């Protein structure tokens, strides 16, 4: 494969006397879906929070395009093209999709020297990004976000992340949690669309069915360490479950 777009080397993260991550490596390539799996407490969330600048590593290095990088905050990571859509989605339910997409980054226009929200442009940009980047068309952009289906809400959260032209790495934390079969299928299609656009998509999921459907490689965490990376096409559920639970240790 080509040189990884993003690399993490020897990442260790301690919280006081607790070691959440120990000497973890990770590589993600442009145009691939890398799944991260593992039981609760395996270090998955801590790892992606280091990658996205929420946490700073106690030890280790990160590289983007082969260049060493460090993030003091999540905003630093976004500026370098790395963002995340978390399971909570962080949407304001009472606002419409356009208001959610531009929340905190509202577009404005000047009327008689007075800056005002440019609601028309925000609506058109939301509609454009949803269709062009995700292939999604909402029946109405006027309804509050709380009235949307789970998959549509997921699409709005993803659209907010991909609106930034510099986005290169998108972390998705349990994107199909609590979705029905049809909504899950639509969300997995969104992931495939992002992969086709050349993004490195890092998928955290407890659903191995979803992982095997859309991922190219699977990174397995256990007890704060990376215990294996397999090519999805060359592996199976039994092998991955064995890595997750440490079957070879019990044997």
């Amino acid at each position: 494969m080509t040189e990884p777009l993003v690399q993490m080397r020897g990442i260790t993260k301690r919280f006081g006397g607790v070691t959440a991550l120990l000497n973890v490596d990770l590589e993600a390539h442009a145009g691939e879906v890398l799944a991260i799996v593992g039981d609760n407490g395996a270090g998955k969330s801590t790892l992606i929070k280091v990658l996205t600048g929420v946490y700073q590593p106690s030890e280790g290095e990160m590289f983007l395009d082969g260049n060493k990088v460090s993030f003091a905050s999540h905003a630093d990571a976004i500026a370098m093209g790395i963002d995340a859509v978390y399971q909570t989605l962080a949407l304001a339910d009472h606002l419409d999709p356009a208001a959610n997409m531009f929340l905190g980054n509202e577009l404005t226009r000047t009327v008689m020297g007075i800056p005002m929200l440019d609601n028309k442009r925000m609506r058109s940009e939301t509609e454009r990004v949803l269709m062009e980047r995700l292939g999604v068309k909402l029946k109405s952009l006027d309804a509050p976000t709380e009235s949307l289906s789970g998959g549509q809400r997921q699409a709005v959260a993803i659209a907010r992340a991909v609106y930034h032209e510099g986005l290169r790495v998108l972390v998705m934390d349990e994107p199909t949690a609590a979705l029905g079969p049809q909504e899950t299928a639509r969300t997995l299609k969104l992931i495939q669309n992002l992969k086709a656009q050349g993004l490195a998509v890092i998928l955290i999921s407890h659903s191995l069915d979803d992982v095997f459907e859309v991922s190219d490689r699977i990174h397995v965490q256990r007890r704060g360490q990376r215990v294996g990376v397999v090519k999805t096409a060359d592996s199976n559920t039994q092998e991955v479950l064995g890595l997750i639970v440490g079957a070879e240790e019990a044997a």
Side-chain angles (χ1 to χ4, degrees):
M1 296 182 71
T2 58
E3 184 75 13
L5 172 59
V6 63
Q7 296 175 280
M8 305 175 80
R9 289 284 173 262
I11 298 297
T12 295
K13 179 61 180 177
R14 300 184 183 90
F15 297 95
V18 177
T19 300
L21 295 172
L22 180 61
N23 197 32
V24 176
D25 294 346
L26 177 145
E27 308 85 23
H29 298 258
E32 82 158 346
V33 178
L34 173 70
I36 301 178
V37 300
D39 284 337
N40 292 333
K44 305 184 302 295
S45 294
T46 303
L47 184 62
I48 65 164
K49 285 180 179 178
V50 171
L51 176 62
T52 57
V54 177
Y55 295 151
Q56 287 70 53
S58 304
E59 298 173 16
E61 300 175 316
M62 295 192 294
F63 301 86
L64 188 64
D65 280 328
N67 300 311
K68 188 175 178 179
V69 294
S70 61
F71 307 134
S73 67
H74 183 46
D76 285 351
I78 293 174
M80 293 295 289
I82 301 174
D83 202 355
V85 176
Y86 293 103
Q87 186 175 349
T88 58
L89 300 183
L91 297 174
D93 285 340
H94 64 289
L95 298 179
D96 62 40
N100 264 297
M101 181 162 157
F102 289 96
L103 190 63
N105 296 285
E106 290 80 4
L107 302 180
T108 60
R109 60 189 177 95
T110 302
V111 179
M112 299 180 65
I114 301 174
M116 302 181 66
L117 290 178
D118 193 342
N119 292 308
K120 183 178 180 180
R121 185 179 167 209
M122 286 191 286
R123 285 171 55 87
S124 66
E125 282 292 277
T126 298
E127 192 171 30
R128 178 186 68 80
V129 173
L130 283 169
M131 178 54 67
E132 291 183 2
R133 299 297 301 273
L134 303 178
V136 171
K137 183 175 178 61
L138 299 180
K139 289 184 178 180
S140 173
L141 289 176
D142 295 320
T145 303
E146 65 185 353
S147 69
L148 301 179
S149 68
Q152 291 170 332
R153 287 165 51 82
Q154 186 73 245
V156 172
I158 296 170
R160 181 170 59 192
V162 303
Y163 181 68
H164 303 287
E165 293 296 333
L167 182 70
R168 306 182 67 194
V169 180
L170 181 64
V171 176
M172 303 189 69
D173 182 17
E174 298 288 355
T176 61
L179 297 184
Q182 289 186 332
E183 293 283 85
T184 293
R186 294 190 187 102
T187 297
L188 296 180
K189 180 62 176 176
L190 298 185
I191 294 172
Q192 291 170 329
N193 287 346
L194 296 174
K195 169 188 169 179
Q197 294 167 32
L199 268 67
V201 181
I202 298 176
L203 169 67
I204 296 177
S205 180
H206 279 99
S207 171
L208 291 185
D209 288 340
D210 293 353
V211 164
F212 273 91
E213 182 167 343
V214 298
S215 72
D216 296 285
R217 293 183 302 123
I218 304 171
H219 167 125
V220 184
Q221 285 282 130
R222 186 172 77 247
R223 299 176 184 173
Q225 295 180 280
R226 182 175 83 170
V227 293
V229 180
V230 299
K231 289 184 178 180
T232 307
D234 298 335
S235 186
N236 55 56
T237 302
Q238 184 176 0
E239 179 186 17
V240 172
L241 282 173
L243 289 168
I244 290 173
V245 302
E248 74 283 359
E249 292 181 1

